[in-house]
Amino acid sequence: NRIWQQVFGTGLVKTSDDFGTRGDLPSHPELLDWLAVEFRKSGWDQKSLFRLLLTSSTFRQDSAANSHVLQIDPENRLLSHGPRFRLDAEQLRDNVLYVSGLMDLTMGGRGVQPYQPPDIWEPVGYENSNTRFYLQDHGASLYRRSVYCFMKRTAPPPFMTNFDGPNREQFCTRRERSNTPLQALQLMNDTQHFEAARGFAEQIVTVGGKTADDRLTYAFRRALARAPRPEELTIVKRALEQYLARYQGDRAAAQKVVKVGESKPRADLPADELAAYTLVANLILNLDETVNRN
């Protein structure tokens, strides 16, 4: 049920923390029983269970639904259309790092301390605590997967808190999903995300092709796993032209854009072109379709 909840957003039993008499009844009890039996038969193979759910026709449905379907099944308890919900905090960070090519996939090791605002631990740190001061890591540690990010319960990372990540002071069986202006500001301006946009831009320019159309098509395919529609290509291409004109006339601003974060920009790419594509990459990484599972 927890794995189903992670994949579809809501468990077959909505009350994930209560299977008792006060909890909700399962929407599909036979399916829940069958999945439990299959999970046991597989030797408790979670990867196999995830593959089963993700390749199912139920998951692969379009998340769009007409008014008639929404009237009959407003909460999608009948699984009449595909799930659609915002990615969790860790998934959002890991997604941009992977798309950008910056992610370090090293497994194991100590917890890492990526970018955070200054003085994040000091107000709640004890004088003799070894976590009184936040000491940011450098190099590859900044780009490790979020599962390896060190968690201080009394001062959890803002990138987690803004997207409803639990602080781990108490158990959490189901995360709530909120929508706030801080989330949009973080995705556009946070050092980690903006640096990832520049890394993504480098790939667009070097791997995507020679023409703007080819590069933007590559960007959509990498970030969204689909080609852009003609009207989308027109809009994004127009934005790219505006960015290019802006940074060709202001090289100092272009240098500021490409130097965000600790990773070094490629020296063989013109700063004005890289800065323009960085803003395009940032635009694509902030699309509703990128931030939400559709």
Side-chain angles (χ1 to χ4, degrees):
N1 192 68
R2 295 281 180 87
I3 291 176
W4 182 280
Q5 174 182 276
Q6 188 172 348
V7 172
F8 287 90
T10 305
L12 293 169
V13 178
K14 290 179 68 175
T15 52
S16 302
D17 58 336
D18 189 353
F19 270 40
T21 57
R22 294 181 181 274
D24 283 5
L25 293 173
S27 58
H28 300 71
E30 296 87 353
L31 174 59
L32 185 59
D33 285 346
W34 182 82
L35 288 171
V37 171
E38 289 297 309
F39 187 38
R40 184 191 61 193
K41 285 181 179 178
S42 71
W44 314 106
D45 187 342
Q46 292 192 41
K47 184 178 288 187
S48 175
L49 181 56
F50 270 106
R51 184 181 295 110
L52 176 66
L53 298 183
L54 294 172
T55 57
S56 66
S57 58
T58 304
F59 179 80
R60 293 162 63 189
Q61 293 181 104
D62 194 330
S63 61
N66 58 44
S67 57
H68 176 67
V69 170
L70 291 176
Q71 185 176 4
I72 297 173
D73 188 19
E75 296 184 0
N76 200 25
R77 298 299 289 158
L78 302 178
L79 307 173
S80 56
H81 51 278
R84 183 185 184 279
F85 52 92
R86 197 200 67 227
L87 298 177
D88 287 333
E90 301 92 332
Q91 294 170 337
L92 283 167
R93 178 177 176 274
D94 289 357
N95 182 56
V96 298
L97 286 177
Y98 185 81
V99 170
S100 70
L102 291 174
M103 176 174 276
D104 184 334
L105 293 172
T106 303
M107 297 182 67
R110 69 174 185 84
V112 296
Q113 297 174 187
Y115 302 110
Q116 286 203 55
D119 302 324
I120 195 73
W121 284 1
E122 286 75 356
V124 296
Y126 292 107
E127 184 175 352
N128 298 323
S129 171
N130 62 354
T131 60
R132 182 183 179 189
F133 301 101
Y134 187 78
L135 301 176
Q136 179 189 301
D137 281 326
H138 304 283
S141 294
L142 291 172
Y143 315 109
R144 298 285 304 279
R145 288 182 295 160
S146 298
V147 69
Y148 294 115
C149 290
F150 185 87
M151 287 285 295
K152 183 179 175 73
R153 290 192 299 272
T154 54
F159 81 85
M160 291 277 290
T161 305
N162 284 348
F163 288 96
D164 309 303
N167 59 12
R168 302 190 186 183
E169 288 195 293
Q170 57 190 10
F171 72 91
C172 176
T173 60
R174 182 178 57 194
R175 295 189 187 187
E176 300 299 328
R177 288 186 172 86
S178 63
N179 289 291
T180 71
L182 280 176
Q183 294 169 351
L185 290 171
Q186 177 176 323
L187 292 178
M188 289 190 293
N189 302 311
D190 179 72
T191 301
Q192 190 96 77
H193 283 80
F194 198 82
E195 181 184 22
R198 197 210 63 230
F200 186 21
E202 290 181 358
Q203 295 200 47
I204 295 171
V205 174
T206 57
V207 182
K210 298 297 183 182
T211 68
D213 284 15
D214 289 343
R215 289 174 175 179
L216 295 178
T217 299
Y218 168 83
F220 268 76
R221 287 190 179 279
R222 182 161 177 82
L224 304 178
R226 67 170 178 84
R229 291 183 283 272
E231 61 272 21
E232 292 174 326
L233 191 59
T234 300
I235 293 170
V236 179
K237 190 175 178 180
R238 187 183 305 130
L240 173 62
E241 292 169 352
Q242 293 173 350
Y243 297 146
L244 281 170
R246 171 185 174 184
Y247 290 118
Q248 285 170 353
D250 190 350
R251 301 300 174 91
Q255 287 291 340
K256 290 181 180 179
V257 168
V258 301
K259 290 185 177 179
V260 171
E262 291 195 5
S263 63
K264 303 298 182 184
R266 289 185 53 150
D268 59 330
L269 298 178
D272 53 352
E273 182 181 39
L274 183 56
Y277 274 99
T278 295
L279 292 195
V280 168
N282 197 32
L283 183 156
I284 293 173
L285 292 176
N286 275 273
L287 289 175
D288 182 84
E289 191 175 342
T290 309
V291 176
N292 289 275
R293 183 184 298 177
N294 292 277

